[in-house]
Amino acid sequence: MIRLEDVCYAYDGVPVLRHVDCTIAKGEAVALSGPNGAGKSTLLRMLNGLIYPELGRYLFKGTEITAARMREHRYAKSFHQQVGFVWQNPDIQLFCGSVAEELAFGPEQMGLPAEEIERRVEDALELAGITHLRERAPYTLSGGEKKKTAIASILTMNPAVWTLDEPLSALDEASQQWLIEFLLALKQAGKTLIFSTHDAGLTRQLADKEIRLDAAHLCTIRS
Ligand SMILES: Nc1ncnc2c1ncn2[C@@H]1O[C@H](COP(=O)(O)OP(=O)(O)OP(=O)(O)O)[C@@H](O)[C@H]1O
Ligand SMILES: [Mg+2]
């Protein structure tokens, strides 16, 4: 489903991703590990079509993801419906006037009928345990509540691929447990999961394989 071929990326000439090479199959759960600054968030941005390899190729279902490809409105729209991104900092992700609007935004963009949108929003509110927050403005929420809202807003789009940057950050123990169960259920449902984490426990519980971005920026894979 996802193929990175010898991918290199640099910020202002400073290399961050060097010769990353890996394949991620449909339904696989993949942990991205490595020290601070290793390039995990950078790799997630690339997988979401927000930045592009400077050398090498990123193939999504056989299509090379390039700036030109993502400028094609129809392709970009379909791509973003298939690949969901839960940012580490939910403030970047949330922009609507209320939690309910936030959850409805994705399926509205997909052009789903109003009844279906309503059903998805209700289901996601309930699943995330945030029904009581539905009319609240996202900026008034606590960090953990924002995180759950961000996750629920991806859930209403039901993407095949979920990418998550440090998904456990900002969550208390009970919410972390909830999220682990949630991610296990997504995996059970056949979704592809790619997440960065410093939490070896999460990797152990959830990941089929680990891609470690180490100091040498080489991609090593443990199955
Ligand atoms: N927009 C940017 N401009 C310049 N440098 C950047 C930019 N974004 C990231 N970097 C640098 O690229 C390197 C990799 O950053 P990245 O955020 O991908 O690391 P990370 O593995 O996610 O780290 P962490 O564990 O701290 O989240 C870091 O040295 C960072 O300072
Ligand atoms: Mg990061």
Side-chain angles (χ1 to χ4, degrees):
M1 179 164 235
I2 285 173
R3 171 103 194 94
L4 295 174
E5 289 177 358
D6 205 25
V7 165
C8 299
Y9 188 81
Y11 290 107
D12 306 320
V14 180
V16 175
L17 301 176
R18 276 198 215 146
H19 306 289
V20 174
D21 208 278
C22 60
T23 302
I24 299 170
K26 184 175 181 303
E28 228 172 5
V30 178
L32 302 179
S33 64
N36 293 134
K40 303 178 296 295
S41 299
T42 302
L43 188 57
L44 287 172
R45 270 179 234 133
M46 186 174 287
L47 292 173
N48 278 280
L50 303 174
I51 56 173
Y52 312 99
E54 289 172 326
L55 286 171
R57 301 200 301 163
Y58 165 26
L59 299 168
F60 180 78
K61 287 184 166 175
T63 299
E64 186 176 356
I65 304 303
T66 59
R69 174 69 67 193
M70 294 303 282
R71 274 195 299 271
E72 288 171 27
H73 182 69
R74 273 177 59 179
Y75 183 81
K77 198 168 164 180
S78 123
F79 176 85
H80 289 304
Q81 286 169 11
Q82 296 179 75
V83 185
F85 194 5
V86 179
W87 293 74
Q88 176 169 10
N89 176 2
D91 286 323
I92 296 171
Q93 196 166 344
L94 305 173
F95 53 87
C96 290
S98 75
V99 168
E101 283 170 35
E102 200 69 61
L103 270 56
F105 183 81
E108 276 166 5
Q109 292 297 304
M110 293 164 74
L112 295 179
E115 267 172 38
E116 171 69 11
I117 295 173
E118 177 80 1
R119 194 182 62 75
R120 287 192 184 198
V121 169
E122 292 310 318
D123 286 355
L125 284 169
E126 192 163 329
L127 227 134
I130 53 172
T131 307
H132 61 295
L133 302 174
R134 58 178 307 144
E135 300 307 334
R136 288 273 298 276
Y139 73 87
T140 68
L141 301 175
S142 78
E145 291 167 345
K146 282 180 188 169
K147 192 93 179 182
K148 287 186 175 179
T149 301
I151 289 167
S153 74
I154 301 298
L155 182 63
T156 52
M157 286 193 287
N158 191 26
V161 180
W162 283 68
T163 61
L164 308 101
D165 202 355
E166 308 280 354
L168 297 184
S169 70
L171 295 178
D172 65 23
E173 214 163 297
S175 298
Q176 288 195 10
Q177 206 45 51
W178 167 80
L179 184 58
I180 292 169
E181 298 293 333
F182 174 77
L183 294 174
L184 284 167
L186 284 181
K187 186 178 169 183
Q188 197 71 35
K191 304 295 180 187
T192 305
L193 306 180
I194 306 162
F195 55 96
S196 73
T197 190
H198 294 289
D199 189 311
L202 179 66
T203 301
R204 210 165 33 244
Q205 283 187 72
L206 194 63
D208 299 312
K209 76 183 180 198
E210 179 178 346
I211 294 178
R212 183 162 178 83
L213 298 169
D214 60 21
H217 302 291
L218 291 173
C219 178
T220 52
I221 297 175
R222 172 178 69 73
S223 293

PDB file of all heavy atoms in Angstrom, residues 124-130 144 147-149 151-152 155 167-168 171-185:
ATOM      1  N   ALA A 124     -18.997   8.933  16.559  1.00  0.00           N
ATOM      2  CA  ALA A 124     -17.632   9.312  16.927  1.00  0.00           C
ATOM      3  C   ALA A 124     -17.606  10.026  18.279  1.00  0.00           C
ATOM      4  O   ALA A 124     -16.706   9.804  19.093  1.00  0.00           O
ATOM      5  CB  ALA A 124     -17.019  10.196  15.846  1.00  0.00           C
ATOM      6  N   LEU A 125     -18.610  10.887  18.522  1.00  0.00           N
ATOM      7  CA  LEU A 125     -18.692  11.579  19.821  1.00  0.00           C
ATOM      8  C   LEU A 125     -18.780  10.550  20.936  1.00  0.00           C
ATOM      9  O   LEU A 125     -18.084  10.635  21.955  1.00  0.00           O
ATOM     10  CB  LEU A 125     -19.928  12.484  19.868  1.00  0.00           C
ATOM     11  CG  LEU A 125     -19.860  13.801  19.100  1.00  0.00           C
ATOM     12  CD1 LEU A 125     -21.249  14.444  19.015  1.00  0.00           C
ATOM     13  CD2 LEU A 125     -18.867  14.778  19.734  1.00  0.00           C
ATOM     14  N   GLU A 126     -19.624   9.545  20.704  1.00  0.00           N
ATOM     15  CA  GLU A 126     -19.841   8.535  21.729  1.00  0.00           C
ATOM     16  C   GLU A 126     -18.583   7.686  21.942  1.00  0.00           C
ATOM     17  O   GLU A 126     -18.154   7.455  23.067  1.00  0.00           O
ATOM     18  CB  GLU A 126     -21.023   7.648  21.320  1.00  0.00           C
ATOM     19  CG  GLU A 126     -21.488   6.772  22.467  1.00  0.00           C
ATOM     20  CD  GLU A 126     -22.877   6.225  22.209  1.00  0.00           C
ATOM     21  OE1 GLU A 126     -23.675   6.913  21.543  1.00  0.00           O
ATOM     22  OE2 GLU A 126     -23.131   5.094  22.636  1.00  0.00           O
ATOM     23  N   LEU A 127     -17.998   7.259  20.823  1.00  0.00           N
ATOM     24  CA  LEU A 127     -16.816   6.412  20.922  1.00  0.00           C
ATOM     25  C   LEU A 127     -15.661   7.101  21.640  1.00  0.00           C
ATOM     26  O   LEU A 127     -14.910   6.478  22.382  1.00  0.00           O
ATOM     27  CB  LEU A 127     -16.382   6.016  19.518  1.00  0.00           C
ATOM     28  CG  LEU A 127     -16.091   4.546  19.370  1.00  0.00           C
ATOM     29  CD1 LEU A 127     -16.743   4.017  18.116  1.00  0.00           C
ATOM     30  CD2 LEU A 127     -14.599   4.296  19.338  1.00  0.00           C
ATOM     31  N   ALA A 128     -15.531   8.406  21.414  1.00  0.00           N
ATOM     32  CA  ALA A 128     -14.442   9.155  22.051  1.00  0.00           C
ATOM     33  C   ALA A 128     -14.837   9.635  23.445  1.00  0.00           C
ATOM     34  O   ALA A 128     -14.017  10.227  24.151  1.00  0.00           O
ATOM     35  CB  ALA A 128     -14.037  10.334  21.167  1.00  0.00           C
ATOM     36  N   GLY A 129     -16.091   9.412  23.831  1.00  0.00           N
ATOM     37  CA  GLY A 129     -16.537   9.839  25.159  1.00  0.00           C
ATOM     38  C   GLY A 129     -16.586  11.352  25.291  1.00  0.00           C
ATOM     39  O   GLY A 129     -16.281  11.907  26.353  1.00  0.00           O
ATOM     40  N   ILE A 130     -16.938  12.054  24.215  1.00  0.00           N
ATOM     41  CA  ILE A 130     -16.940  13.525  24.262  1.00  0.00           C
ATOM     42  C   ILE A 130     -18.300  14.106  23.858  1.00  0.00           C
ATOM     43  O   ILE A 130     -18.373  15.270  23.442  1.00  0.00           O
ATOM     44  CB  ILE A 130     -15.811  14.116  23.361  1.00  0.00           C
ATOM     45  CG1 ILE A 130     -15.904  13.559  21.929  1.00  0.00           C
ATOM     46  CG2 ILE A 130     -14.447  13.845  23.959  1.00  0.00           C
ATOM     47  CD1 ILE A 130     -14.962  14.245  20.940  1.00  0.00           C
ATOM     48  N   GLY A 144      -6.168  17.048  26.576  1.00  0.00           N
ATOM     49  CA  GLY A 144      -6.653  15.689  26.302  1.00  0.00           C
ATOM     50  C   GLY A 144      -7.974  15.695  25.548  1.00  0.00           C
ATOM     51  O   GLY A 144      -8.191  14.869  24.652  1.00  0.00           O
ATOM     52  N   LYS A 147      -7.275  16.422  21.991  1.00  0.00           N
ATOM     53  CA  LYS A 147      -6.713  15.240  21.330  1.00  0.00           C
ATOM     54  C   LYS A 147      -7.837  14.288  20.919  1.00  0.00           C
ATOM     55  O   LYS A 147      -7.855  13.764  19.801  1.00  0.00           O
ATOM     56  CB  LYS A 147      -5.753  14.545  22.295  1.00  0.00           C
ATOM     57  CG  LYS A 147      -4.888  13.502  21.676  1.00  0.00           C
ATOM     58  CD  LYS A 147      -3.585  14.121  21.269  1.00  0.00           C
ATOM     59  CE  LYS A 147      -2.624  13.131  20.658  1.00  0.00           C
ATOM     60  NZ  LYS A 147      -1.365  13.779  20.336  1.00  0.00           N
ATOM     61  N   LYS A 148      -8.774  14.064  21.831  1.00  0.00           N
ATOM     62  CA  LYS A 148      -9.888  13.162  21.518  1.00  0.00           C
ATOM     63  C   LYS A 148     -10.763  13.741  20.403  1.00  0.00           C
ATOM     64  O   LYS A 148     -11.260  12.996  19.550  1.00  0.00           O
ATOM     65  CB  LYS A 148     -10.730  12.913  22.769  1.00  0.00           C
ATOM     66  CG  LYS A 148     -10.039  12.008  23.767  1.00  0.00           C
ATOM     67  CD  LYS A 148     -10.942  11.671  24.923  1.00  0.00           C
ATOM     68  CE  LYS A 148     -10.264  10.667  25.833  1.00  0.00           C
ATOM     69  NZ  LYS A 148     -11.090  10.329  26.992  1.00  0.00           N
ATOM     70  N   THR A 149     -10.933  15.050  20.413  1.00  0.00           N
ATOM     71  CA  THR A 149     -11.711  15.700  19.349  1.00  0.00           C
ATOM     72  C   THR A 149     -11.007  15.516  18.001  1.00  0.00           C
ATOM     73  O   THR A 149     -11.645  15.204  16.984  1.00  0.00           O
ATOM     74  CB  THR A 149     -11.891  17.199  19.660  1.00  0.00           C
ATOM     75  OG1 THR A 149     -12.553  17.318  20.917  1.00  0.00           O
ATOM     76  CG2 THR A 149     -12.700  17.905  18.582  1.00  0.00           C
ATOM     77  N   ILE A 151      -8.961  13.119  17.160  1.00  0.00           N
ATOM     78  CA  ILE A 151      -9.083  11.709  16.768  1.00  0.00           C
ATOM     79  C   ILE A 151     -10.490  11.437  16.224  1.00  0.00           C
ATOM     80  O   ILE A 151     -10.656  10.795  15.183  1.00  0.00           O
ATOM     81  CB  ILE A 151      -8.747  10.793  17.965  1.00  0.00           C
ATOM     82  CG1 ILE A 151      -7.237  10.874  18.240  1.00  0.00           C
ATOM     83  CG2 ILE A 151      -9.186   9.349  17.714  1.00  0.00           C
ATOM     84  CD1 ILE A 151      -6.808  10.290  19.566  1.00  0.00           C
ATOM     85  N   ALA A 152     -11.497  11.969  16.924  1.00  0.00           N
ATOM     86  CA  ALA A 152     -12.888  11.756  16.473  1.00  0.00           C
ATOM     87  C   ALA A 152     -13.126  12.405  15.109  1.00  0.00           C
ATOM     88  O   ALA A 152     -13.913  11.896  14.300  1.00  0.00           O
ATOM     89  CB  ALA A 152     -13.856  12.309  17.519  1.00  0.00           C
ATOM     90  N   LEU A 155     -11.925  10.024  12.658  1.00  0.00           N
ATOM     91  CA  LEU A 155     -12.800   8.840  12.655  1.00  0.00           C
ATOM     92  C   LEU A 155     -14.031   9.042  11.771  1.00  0.00           C
ATOM     93  O   LEU A 155     -14.454   8.115  11.077  1.00  0.00           O
ATOM     94  CB  LEU A 155     -13.221   8.530  14.099  1.00  0.00           C
ATOM     95  CG  LEU A 155     -14.088   7.297  14.308  1.00  0.00           C
ATOM     96  CD1 LEU A 155     -13.341   6.036  13.885  1.00  0.00           C
ATOM     97  CD2 LEU A 155     -14.519   7.186  15.769  1.00  0.00           C
ATOM     98  N   PRO A 167       0.744   9.680  19.609  1.00  0.00           N
ATOM     99  CA  PRO A 167      -0.680   9.698  19.962  1.00  0.00           C
ATOM    100  C   PRO A 167      -0.959   9.720  21.465  1.00  0.00           C
ATOM    101  O   PRO A 167      -2.012  10.195  21.866  1.00  0.00           O
ATOM    102  CB  PRO A 167      -1.226   8.418  19.318  1.00  0.00           C
ATOM    103  CG  PRO A 167      -0.041   7.553  19.075  1.00  0.00           C
ATOM    104  CD  PRO A 167       1.108   8.478  18.832  1.00  0.00           C
ATOM    105  N   LEU A 168      -0.031   9.229  22.279  1.00  0.00           N
ATOM    106  CA  LEU A 168      -0.326   9.168  23.719  1.00  0.00           C
ATOM    107  C   LEU A 168      -0.018  10.477  24.440  1.00  0.00           C
ATOM    108  O   LEU A 168      -0.407  10.646  25.599  1.00  0.00           O
ATOM    109  CB  LEU A 168       0.469   8.034  24.378  1.00  0.00           C
ATOM    110  CG  LEU A 168       0.153   6.614  23.891  1.00  0.00           C
ATOM    111  CD1 LEU A 168       0.937   5.588  24.701  1.00  0.00           C
ATOM    112  CD2 LEU A 168      -1.345   6.318  23.985  1.00  0.00           C
ATOM    113  N   LEU A 171      -2.238  12.797  27.126  1.00  0.00           N
ATOM    114  CA  LEU A 171      -3.356  12.010  27.656  1.00  0.00           C
ATOM    115  C   LEU A 171      -3.013  11.431  29.032  1.00  0.00           C
ATOM    116  O   LEU A 171      -1.884  10.978  29.253  1.00  0.00           O
ATOM    117  CB  LEU A 171      -3.701  10.867  26.700  1.00  0.00           C
ATOM    118  CG  LEU A 171      -4.227  11.267  25.315  1.00  0.00           C
ATOM    119  CD1 LEU A 171      -4.486  10.026  24.473  1.00  0.00           C
ATOM    120  CD2 LEU A 171      -5.504  12.098  25.428  1.00  0.00           C
ATOM    121  N   ASP A 172      -3.996  11.455  29.943  1.00  0.00           N
ATOM    122  CA  ASP A 172      -3.784  10.818  31.246  1.00  0.00           C
ATOM    123  C   ASP A 172      -3.858   9.307  31.084  1.00  0.00           C
ATOM    124  O   ASP A 172      -4.127   8.803  29.993  1.00  0.00           O
ATOM    125  CB  ASP A 172      -4.791  11.341  32.283  1.00  0.00           C
ATOM    126  CG  ASP A 172      -6.226  10.963  31.949  1.00  0.00           C
ATOM    127  OD1 ASP A 172      -6.444   9.975  31.215  1.00  0.00           O
ATOM    128  OD2 ASP A 172      -7.142  11.670  32.409  1.00  0.00           O
ATOM    129  N   GLU A 173      -3.638   8.587  32.186  1.00  0.00           N
ATOM    130  CA  GLU A 173      -3.519   7.133  32.072  1.00  0.00           C
ATOM    131  C   GLU A 173      -4.787   6.479  31.523  1.00  0.00           C
ATOM    132  O   GLU A 173      -4.719   5.600  30.662  1.00  0.00           O
ATOM    133  CB  GLU A 173      -3.174   6.549  33.438  1.00  0.00           C
ATOM    134  CG  GLU A 173      -2.281   5.339  33.338  1.00  0.00           C
ATOM    135  CD  GLU A 173      -1.626   5.024  34.670  1.00  0.00           C
ATOM    136  OE1 GLU A 173      -0.850   5.855  35.164  1.00  0.00           O
ATOM    137  OE2 GLU A 173      -1.936   3.958  35.204  1.00  0.00           O
ATOM    138  N   ALA A 174      -5.948   6.936  32.016  1.00  0.00           N
ATOM    139  CA  ALA A 174      -7.215   6.344  31.570  1.00  0.00           C
ATOM    140  C   ALA A 174      -7.421   6.616  30.073  1.00  0.00           C
ATOM    141  O   ALA A 174      -7.832   5.735  29.316  1.00  0.00           O
ATOM    142  CB  ALA A 174      -8.376   6.908  32.382  1.00  0.00           C
ATOM    143  N   SER A 175      -7.107   7.848  29.653  1.00  0.00           N
ATOM    144  CA  SER A 175      -7.287   8.202  28.237  1.00  0.00           C
ATOM    145  C   SER A 175      -6.287   7.450  27.361  1.00  0.00           C
ATOM    146  O   SER A 175      -6.606   7.072  26.232  1.00  0.00           O
ATOM    147  CB  SER A 175      -7.128   9.704  28.038  1.00  0.00           C
ATOM    148  OG  SER A 175      -8.107  10.385  28.772  1.00  0.00           O
ATOM    149  N   GLN A 176      -5.076   7.249  27.892  1.00  0.00           N
ATOM    150  CA  GLN A 176      -4.085   6.466  27.137  1.00  0.00           C
ATOM    151  C   GLN A 176      -4.596   5.050  26.921  1.00  0.00           C
ATOM    152  O   GLN A 176      -4.489   4.494  25.819  1.00  0.00           O
ATOM    153  CB  GLN A 176      -2.754   6.403  27.897  1.00  0.00           C
ATOM    154  CG  GLN A 176      -2.009   7.720  27.886  1.00  0.00           C
ATOM    155  CD  GLN A 176      -0.552   7.579  28.317  1.00  0.00           C
ATOM    156  OE1 GLN A 176      -0.046   6.476  28.453  1.00  0.00           O
ATOM    157  NE2 GLN A 176       0.101   8.694  28.528  1.00  0.00           N
ATOM    158  N   GLN A 177      -5.169   4.484  27.983  1.00  0.00           N
ATOM    159  CA  GLN A 177      -5.704   3.128  27.887  1.00  0.00           C
ATOM    160  C   GLN A 177      -6.836   3.069  26.860  1.00  0.00           C
ATOM    161  O   GLN A 177      -6.916   2.163  26.047  1.00  0.00           O
ATOM    162  CB  GLN A 177      -6.190   2.668  29.275  1.00  0.00           C
ATOM    163  CG  GLN A 177      -6.186   1.157  29.459  1.00  0.00           C
ATOM    164  CD  GLN A 177      -4.903   0.503  28.937  1.00  0.00           C
ATOM    165  OE1 GLN A 177      -3.795   0.920  29.277  1.00  0.00           O
ATOM    166  NE2 GLN A 177      -5.033  -0.499  28.073  1.00  0.00           N
ATOM    167  N   TRP A 178      -7.689   4.114  26.925  1.00  0.00           N
ATOM    168  CA  TRP A 178      -8.784   4.198  25.955  1.00  0.00           C
ATOM    169  C   TRP A 178      -8.229   4.237  24.539  1.00  0.00           C
ATOM    170  O   TRP A 178      -8.709   3.530  23.648  1.00  0.00           O
ATOM    171  CB  TRP A 178      -9.628   5.459  26.215  1.00  0.00           C
ATOM    172  CG  TRP A 178     -10.551   5.738  25.064  1.00  0.00           C
ATOM    173  CD1 TRP A 178     -11.746   5.147  24.805  1.00  0.00           C
ATOM    174  CD2 TRP A 178     -10.303   6.641  23.966  1.00  0.00           C
ATOM    175  NE1 TRP A 178     -12.267   5.622  23.621  1.00  0.00           N
ATOM    176  CE2 TRP A 178     -11.404   6.530  23.091  1.00  0.00           C
ATOM    177  CE3 TRP A 178      -9.256   7.515  23.648  1.00  0.00           C
ATOM    178  CZ2 TRP A 178     -11.492   7.280  21.914  1.00  0.00           C
ATOM    179  CZ3 TRP A 178      -9.346   8.248  22.473  1.00  0.00           C
ATOM    180  CH2 TRP A 178     -10.456   8.136  21.628  1.00  0.00           C
ATOM    181  N   LEU A 179      -7.188   5.053  24.327  1.00  0.00           N
ATOM    182  CA  LEU A 179      -6.640   5.207  22.979  1.00  0.00           C
ATOM    183  C   LEU A 179      -6.005   3.910  22.475  1.00  0.00           C
ATOM    184  O   LEU A 179      -6.162   3.541  21.313  1.00  0.00           O
ATOM    185  CB  LEU A 179      -5.618   6.356  22.936  1.00  0.00           C
ATOM    186  CG  LEU A 179      -5.068   6.641  21.540  1.00  0.00           C
ATOM    187  CD1 LEU A 179      -6.183   6.989  20.562  1.00  0.00           C
ATOM    188  CD2 LEU A 179      -4.049   7.762  21.562  1.00  0.00           C
ATOM    189  N   ILE A 180      -5.324   3.203  23.371  1.00  0.00           N
ATOM    190  CA  ILE A 180      -4.701   1.933  22.968  1.00  0.00           C
ATOM    191  C   ILE A 180      -5.785   0.950  22.524  1.00  0.00           C
ATOM    192  O   ILE A 180      -5.663   0.309  21.475  1.00  0.00           O
ATOM    193  CB  ILE A 180      -3.830   1.366  24.112  1.00  0.00           C
ATOM    194  CG1 ILE A 180      -2.616   2.281  24.335  1.00  0.00           C
ATOM    195  CG2 ILE A 180      -3.363  -0.056  23.792  1.00  0.00           C
ATOM    196  CD1 ILE A 180      -1.817   1.983  25.590  1.00  0.00           C
ATOM    197  N   GLU A 181      -6.864   0.881  23.309  1.00  0.00           N
ATOM    198  CA  GLU A 181      -7.988  -0.005  22.936  1.00  0.00           C
ATOM    199  C   GLU A 181      -8.571   0.422  21.585  1.00  0.00           C
ATOM    200  O   GLU A 181      -8.896  -0.403  20.739  1.00  0.00           O
ATOM    201  CB  GLU A 181      -9.109   0.051  23.992  1.00  0.00           C
ATOM    202  CG  GLU A 181      -8.700  -0.420  25.382  1.00  0.00           C
ATOM    203  CD  GLU A 181      -8.396  -1.911  25.408  1.00  0.00           C
ATOM    204  OE1 GLU A 181      -8.964  -2.626  24.569  1.00  0.00           O
ATOM    205  OE2 GLU A 181      -7.566  -2.324  26.241  1.00  0.00           O
ATOM    206  N   PHE A 182      -8.702   1.729  21.418  1.00  0.00           N
ATOM    207  CA  PHE A 182      -9.257   2.283  20.182  1.00  0.00           C
ATOM    208  C   PHE A 182      -8.384   1.905  18.976  1.00  0.00           C
ATOM    209  O   PHE A 182      -8.880   1.472  17.934  1.00  0.00           O
ATOM    210  CB  PHE A 182      -9.370   3.803  20.325  1.00  0.00           C
ATOM    211  CG  PHE A 182      -9.783   4.520  19.068  1.00  0.00           C
ATOM    212  CD1 PHE A 182     -11.102   4.516  18.662  1.00  0.00           C
ATOM    213  CD2 PHE A 182      -8.848   5.195  18.297  1.00  0.00           C
ATOM    214  CE1 PHE A 182     -11.495   5.167  17.502  1.00  0.00           C
ATOM    215  CE2 PHE A 182      -9.225   5.850  17.139  1.00  0.00           C
ATOM    216  CZ  PHE A 182     -10.552   5.836  16.743  1.00  0.00           C
ATOM    217  N   LEU A 183      -7.071   2.053  19.146  1.00  0.00           N
ATOM    218  CA  LEU A 183      -6.158   1.742  18.042  1.00  0.00           C
ATOM    219  C   LEU A 183      -6.151   0.244  17.745  1.00  0.00           C
ATOM    220  O   LEU A 183      -6.090  -0.171  16.582  1.00  0.00           O
ATOM    221  CB  LEU A 183      -4.741   2.248  18.359  1.00  0.00           C
ATOM    222  CG  LEU A 183      -4.609   3.781  18.435  1.00  0.00           C
ATOM    223  CD1 LEU A 183      -3.217   4.182  18.903  1.00  0.00           C
ATOM    224  CD2 LEU A 183      -4.923   4.433  17.093  1.00  0.00           C
ATOM    225  N   LEU A 184      -6.248  -0.564  18.803  1.00  0.00           N
ATOM    226  CA  LEU A 184      -6.330  -2.016  18.592  1.00  0.00           C
ATOM    227  C   LEU A 184      -7.601  -2.373  17.812  1.00  0.00           C
ATOM    228  O   LEU A 184      -7.579  -3.245  16.937  1.00  0.00           O
ATOM    229  CB  LEU A 184      -6.306  -2.757  19.935  1.00  0.00           C
ATOM    230  CG  LEU A 184      -4.930  -2.846  20.608  1.00  0.00           C
ATOM    231  CD1 LEU A 184      -5.057  -3.307  22.060  1.00  0.00           C
ATOM    232  CD2 LEU A 184      -4.008  -3.782  19.835  1.00  0.00           C
ATOM    233  N   ALA A 185      -8.698  -1.671  18.110  1.00  0.00           N
ATOM    234  CA  ALA A 185      -9.961  -1.921  17.397  1.00  0.00           C
ATOM    235  C   ALA A 185      -9.841  -1.511  15.929  1.00  0.00           C
ATOM    236  O   ALA A 185     -10.344  -2.201  15.035  1.00  0.00           O
ATOM    237  CB  ALA A 185     -11.107  -1.173  18.076  1.00  0.00           C
TER     238      ALA A 185
END
